[in-house]
Amino acid sequence: MAIIFHERSGIFHLTNDHVSYLIRIMENGQLENLYYGKKIRDREDFSHLHDETARPHLCVSLPDPSMLSMQYTRQEYPVYGTGDYRTPALTIRQENGSRISVFTYESHTIQRGKPALEGLPATYTESDDEAETLEIRLFDKVSSTALILSYTLFEDLPVIARHARICQEGDAPVLIERAMSCSVEFLGSDFEMVQLSGAWARERYVRVRPLEIGLQGVQGLAGTCGGAEENPFLALKRPHTTEHQGEVYGFSLVYSGNFLAQTEVSPFDMTRVLMGISPESFAWKLEKGETFTTPEAVMVWSDRGLNGMSQVYHRLYRRRLARGYWRDRERPILLNNWEGTYFDFNEEKLLQMARKAKEVGVELFVLDDGWFGERNDDFRGLGDWFCNTDKIPSGIGGLSRKINEIGLKFGLWVELEMINMDSDLYRAHPDFVLRTPDRYASHSRHQHVLDFTRQEVVDHIHDMIAKILRESEISYIKWDMNRYMTEPFSAHLGADRQGEVMHRYMLGVYSLYERLTSEFPQVLFESCASGGARFDPGMLYYAPQAWCSDDTDANERCKIQYGTSMVYPLSMIGSHVSAVPNHQLSRTTPLETRGAVAMFGTFGYELDLDTLSPGEMETVKNQIIRMKKLRRLIQTDSDFYRLLSPFEGNETGWICVSGDKSRAAALLCQRLNKVNASWLRFKLAGLEENTSYRVTFEVGGITRSFTAFGDELMYAGIPVEREDLLRQGGDFAALFYELEADQGVSMIRGF
Ligand code: GLA
């Protein structure tokens, strides 16, 4: 791995065994984006890759005879107003109102390792040989503003992590109106854009559309990354690229606030990708001596298809974005009382649920919404983070100890960023609400958002929750966020700083997460936002797992988990078995299928076990035994391969293969049963061709097994008997395959 600077040609070459990324200092001092893609060998000069042609309407940036025009140049970090009419990466408004800036190269540093981004989540290294970082300093002489572009190239992975910093060095302040985390320009537009879009209960569906001239993209303006609707991710794939073959460029933003991910194709077939904080709701005043840091964008290149790109994100995010005690640990199997009781519970009911959970092998009991203040419905109580002792006479401390005595760990639900107007907190501090003066404050689920741009609000909430954590035996926190932001305005910021509210809010949330995770390092945090409405890399930095969706129907979950796996590792995907008929859809799916699908994630139950028959309780017990055996493989020690897409056919298929390829767990799930149907072969992936595997699966409660070599399993596939699917329930039936190598195969791999 190396970041090389060729002084004579003014070219930076970021290259490892996988990728090359070339930046050139142009004759006018600005930076050009010469190449990004598969590794090419290094040479002193790549200037011939620069394209310059005389064209009508050319606005030339240098004196004659140059033809250098910003409109036709693949710029590294384009700014507004000097001849490029495409969307810029940076716009700064100066005191005289001008938005024109020209940033030219001043200096650069190349260092081993990766510096942290202050106050922001970001990927990291554990030792300096894992990555190298280039920082290029540019300067705009008129506004006296410095721009630092940062690039970290990871050693073993086709990954470049980027961000920008803007520092005001002159006396007059500037207003940053737009500051992207990354900009990349490609020659050609032969791409399709992949995005993860949806809505509540159908989050992160995979959508693909061809690029066209003009703008296309996704944007989140809800204050919680893209909410359930959009995810801070896009990929550009070649039209022929499939899950397992072909070229793809992924862009993922490590941020949980408003974002923009945009492509722009010019009529000359240049494609610009921009990713960063959405400029729609953003403006940041920078005074002398101040620095603004953009969130980090993580770019992945792969020539092994979408699945190849996903595996890189999984590896990086699982080990170098997630942090702390739980990062590499098997996740506890939990029972959450929400769908079992909703608000209708008392202490005895909870203890009864916990005893039942213990019987089947559950390890963690989670008390969801409804334990605090006057919270007997969703009209009141948010903000009152003290126990409702009418419902739980022993208090949270007492209850947690009783649950521990049963032999389970105890977890608690909170929604720290929110307030109900019917709460003691609101009565004492009505000014804590984020709202615009003289305007109606829209509510959602009868709740409002706290002004986390204010330190004293964050401190107040911190002190309440830290007290409970200190006084109780709490091993897990589910941190929910159940509404989008509206009328954002902070009474504590001046008129010239209102554009900062949305980002400052996120910085407040991150600071509270940072404080709580460092004060209580062994508590497992699970993030949540009405299910999966804030499922992003930023959250993963603080909370190693996230509730994937409120939709727990196994058939719907196939799509949601398939789409989520495009970027996010299975160790992050909160997945539970719930009751039937399903509470979101009224659909009934077999318990075996619900278990099998939920096992490809963190796993748990979200129902009242008292409502299950003895036979179903046996099935649950066996599921938990299986998950305990397989969770290390699934959550921390495997590569994930998507095999059959629920967006394309009747079947969903995927497999987790251990790093040494000696073990695997695969799922085949069908939507509707087919009558008098054709034959079905389930082709696996990721196995060792020459290894013989014992394949074990269950049909109608009877265990079966056979052996076959990896090549046969991958290329000829497993013949699936339609009868077996019928025995597994017909509609929505699943088959769960476990594979063990007959003789171990060893392979060495990095993180
Ligand atoms: C959100 C969550 C659910 C549950 C409820 C409680 O909808 O996604 O899992 O915690 O809030 O109000």
Side-chain angles (χ1 to χ4, degrees):
M1 168 194 57
I3 296 182
I4 304 156
F5 179 55
H6 294 294
E7 205 154 344
R8 207 161 40 76
S9 56
I11 286 175
F12 297 94
H13 188 182
L14 288 69
T15 182
N16 62 14
D17 287 344
H18 312 280
V19 283
S20 280
Y21 190 93
L22 290 170
I23 306 165
R24 184 173 82 99
I25 306 169
M26 295 188 290
E27 290 70 20
N28 68 352
Q30 288 176 251
L31 298 185
E32 179 178 26
N33 187 192
L34 268 189
Y35 172 76
Y36 175 34
K38 192 176 175 73
K39 175 199 165 76
I40 51 177
R41 79 195 56 222
D42 188 45
R43 60 192 283 183
E44 170 60 38
D45 195 351
F46 287 98
S47 315
H48 54 280
L49 295 177
H50 167 82
D51 304 277
E52 208 169 284
T53 314
R55 294 185 191 278
H57 301 297
L58 194 76
C59 296
V60 182
S61 296
L62 285 174
D64 289 341
S66 171
M67 290 293 162
L68 182 66
S69 163
M70 293 301 110
Q71 175 72 351
Y72 305 112
T73 300
R74 281 170 287 151
Q75 297 180 63
E76 186 54 32
Y77 197 75
V79 293
Y80 169 77
T82 60
D84 178 9
Y85 307 105
R86 295 165 291 165
T87 315
L90 179 69
T91 307
I92 52 170
R93 188 151 70 88
Q94 294 132 65
E95 244 196 345
N96 66 358
S98 161
R99 287 186 170 85
I100 307 307
S101 58
V102 178
F103 284 89
T104 53
Y105 171 85
E106 272 204 351
S107 61
H108 71 269
T109 58
I110 296 173
Q111 66 181 94
R112 302 205 60 83
K114 183 176 193 290
L117 275 69
E118 216 192 314
L120 283 168
T123 57
Y124 59 90
T125 51
E126 285 198 335
S127 84
D128 277 355
D129 351 312
E130 286 179 8
E132 229 167 59
T133 299
L134 162 70
E135 296 211 333
I136 308 178
R137 183 184 147 94
L138 304 125
F139 195 67
D140 176 55
K141 290 195 188 76
V142 175
S143 64
S144 296
T145 310
L147 165 67
I148 291 132
L149 300 179
S150 174
Y151 304 80
T152 297
L153 174 69
F154 281 81
E155 157 96 61
D156 290 332
L157 297 172
V159 172
I160 299 174
R162 296 177 55 174
H163 74 272
R165 296 197 298 280
I166 297 129
C167 322
Q168 185 48 14
E169 298 181 357
D171 291 331
V174 289
L175 191 72
I176 307 169
E177 293 186 336
R178 148 193 302 267
M180 292 290 119
S181 300
C182 78
S183 166
V184 179
E185 301 218 34
F186 299 93
L187 207 59
S189 61
D190 188 25
F191 288 116
E192 290 176 340
M193 182 173 121
V194 183
Q195 65 195 67
L196 300 175
S197 303
W200 177 80
R202 52 178 174 87
E203 296 89 346
R204 290 170 298 287
Y205 277 18
V206 181
R207 304 271 175 185
V208 181
R209 50 175 151 153
L211 286 196
E212 252 308 333
I213 292 178
L215 296 176
Q216 291 178 81
V218 288
Q219 178 160 247
L221 290 177
T224 80
C225 74
E229 287 75 18
E230 303 296 351
N231 201 257
F233 162 79
L234 75 77
L236 292 187
K237 73 175 192 69
R238 301 293 177 189
H240 59 265
T241 294
T242 64
E243 276 288 0
H244 300 288
Q245 280 169 0
E247 195 175 41
V248 55
Y249 296 85
F251 298 86
S252 162
L253 191 67
V254 186
Y255 190 53
S256 317
N258 290 347
F259 77 93
L260 173 72
Q262 179 182 292
T263 60
E264 181 167 9
V265 177
S266 79
F268 297 92
D269 264 348
M270 284 159 73
T271 303
R272 175 176 291 174
V273 179
L274 293 176
M275 176 172 258
I277 293 180
S278 166
E280 183 58 41
S281 54
F282 172 84
W284 193 277
K285 186 173 178 187
L286 209 58
E287 305 264 12
K288 182 173 187 176
E290 287 180 348
T291 296
F292 179 80
T293 305
T294 72
E296 176 167 279
V298 177
M299 312 195 309
V300 168
W301 172 87
S302 171
D303 59 359
R304 295 185 298 114
L306 287 169
N307 201 86
M309 173 201 69
S310 302
Q311 288 183 350
V312 175
Y313 277 121
H314 292 180
R315 221 171 276 183
L316 182 74
Y317 283 0
R318 188 164 67 188
R319 303 293 302 277
R320 293 295 180 268
L321 179 59
R323 298 178 297 169
Y325 181 83
W326 284 101
R327 186 188 75 179
D328 303 327
R329 284 189 158 75
E330 297 170 25
R331 303 299 161 71
I333 294 169
L334 63 82
L335 181 113
N336 177 307
N337 74 311
W338 179 242
E339 288 198 8
T341 64
Y342 294 105
F343 291 108
D344 185 17
F345 59 80
N346 56 32
E347 184 168 333
E348 190 36 46
K349 175 68 190 164
L350 298 175
L351 291 170
Q352 168 58 16
M353 288 180 92
R355 282 190 283 267
K356 223 35 200 201
K358 175 69 187 166
E359 250 176 59
V360 290
V362 163
E363 297 159 314
L364 166 70
F365 177 81
V366 178
L367 171 54
D368 210 278
D369 196 355
W371 58 267
F372 49 91
E374 295 295 315
R375 186 77 169 173
N376 294 315
D377 50 39
D378 59 14
F379 285 85
R380 65 204 94 243
L382 288 174
D384 295 344
W385 301 113
F386 45 83
C387 186
N388 179 337
T389 44
D390 289 343
K391 274 173 151 174
I392 307 170
S394 310
I396 291 302
L399 177 68
S400 65
R401 283 181 273 279
K402 286 185 183 174
I403 299 277
N404 285 178
E405 277 159 24
I406 291 172
L408 296 180
K409 301 275 188 206
F410 178 73
L412 197 61
W413 178 97
V414 290
E415 197 177 350
L416 301 177
E417 299 154 66
M418 295 294 152
I419 186 166
N420 283 120
M421 287 194 174
D422 187 354
S423 67
D424 289 357
L425 183 69
Y426 184 79
R427 283 181 282 272
H429 300 282
D431 60 309
F432 274 16
V433 173
L434 202 63
R435 61 184 300 177
T436 302
D438 308 323
R439 296 196 185 275
Y440 180 69
S442 311
H443 73 83
S444 174
R445 211 191 184 202
H446 324 291
Q447 63 195 59
H448 292 81
V449 182
L450 285 169
D451 185 355
F452 264 41
T453 70
R454 285 172 62 187
Q455 188 63 45
E456 64 272 35
V457 176
V458 176
D459 288 347
H460 192 95
I461 298 297
H462 165 268
D463 294 350
M464 287 171 109
I465 191 65
K467 182 170 184 292
I468 294 177
L469 279 158
R470 250 181 257 118
E471 291 171 355
S472 317
E473 299 301 318
I474 294 176
S475 307
Y476 162 108
I477 288 283
K478 176 175 171 187
W479 179 324
D480 211 337
M481 201 285 188
N482 278 320
R483 67 156 290 182
Y484 297 161
M485 286 161 74
T486 51
E487 297 92 21
F489 183 97
S490 173
H492 286 249
L493 290 172
D496 54 344
R497 291 201 176 268
Q498 290 303 325
E500 300 173 16
V501 168
M502 298 297 248
H503 184 59
R504 281 190 187 276
Y505 175 87
M506 267 336 298
L507 296 179
V509 172
Y510 288 151
S511 74
L512 183 55
Y513 254 119
E514 188 67 44
R515 252 165 109 182
L516 291 173
T517 50
S518 16
E519 283 166 27
F520 305 97
Q522 294 197 2
V523 171
L524 172 59
F525 282 80
E526 174 155 349
S527 74
C528 174
S530 305
R534 194 163 65 183
F535 202 107
D536 67 80
M539 280 291 124
L540 177 58
Y541 185 71
Y542 303 98
Q545 56 192 58
W547 184 224
C548 187
S549 174
D550 274 348
D551 193 339
T552 46
D553 172 78
N555 179 58
E556 297 304 308
R557 273 300 185 120
C558 284
K559 283 194 199 150
I560 297 168
Q561 291 175 211
Y562 188 99
T564 303
S565 79
M566 194 60 70
V567 182
Y568 305 98
L570 300 198
S571 54
M572 184 183 178
I573 298 179
S575 45
H576 300 167
V577 175
S578 62
V580 288
N582 175 269
H583 292 196
Q584 290 75 38
L585 281 162
S586 289
R587 179 183 287 147
T588 296
T589 54
L591 181 54
E592 287 74 12
T593 305
R594 281 175 274 153
V597 173
M599 278 181 208
F600 290 87
T602 59
F603 199 66
Y605 291 82
E606 181 118 2
L607 45 76
D608 184 354
L609 291 168
D610 266 334
T611 60
L612 298 190
S613 69
E616 288 172 324
M617 284 293 275
E618 246 350 87
T619 305
V620 167
K621 263 187 209 162
N622 290 332
Q623 286 174 345
I624 291 176
I625 291 170
R626 176 184 282 173
M627 188 57 188
K628 284 180 180 168
K629 183 172 140 212
L630 292 176
R631 66 182 153 181
R632 174 154 292 286
L633 167 78
I634 291 173
Q635 293 168 354
T636 65
D637 178 36
S638 59
D639 288 316
F640 184 69
Y641 295 82
R642 292 181 293 269
L643 302 173
L644 294 167
S645 168
F647 298 101
E648 286 165 15
N650 195 46
E651 287 85 24
T652 302
W654 57 53
I655 186 170
C656 288
V657 183
S658 66
D660 65 4
K661 296 185 183 288
S662 68
R663 295 175 69 209
L667 173 81
L668 176 72
C669 196
Q670 75 170 355
R671 198 174 303 145
L672 296 184
N673 205 37
K674 289 187 170 174
V675 66
N676 196 16
S678 55
W679 290 271
L680 184 59
R681 289 277 189 279
F682 184 33
K683 293 183 182 174
L684 307 184
L687 303 173
E688 193 62 47
E689 289 182 350
N690 299 321
T691 296
S692 162
Y693 292 90
R694 171 151 299 277
V695 183
T696 311
F697 61 111
E698 239 176 55
V699 178
I702 313 285
T703 304
R704 297 198 203 149
S705 78
F706 65 90
T707 53
F709 277 94
D711 52 4
E712 182 188 327
L713 292 166
M714 292 191 289
Y715 313 136
I718 300 175
V720 179
E721 299 287 339
R722 295 277 178 189
E723 275 299 304
D724 290 349
L725 289 170
L726 203 56
R727 274 188 219 112
Q728 286 294 94
D731 290 349
F732 315 114
L735 290 166
F736 189 107
Y737 299 92
E738 277 179 63
L739 284 81
E740 295 253 9
D742 280 353
Q743 69 272 355
V745 197
S746 56
M747 272 185 54
I748 299 167
R749 37 177 258 154
F751 66 82

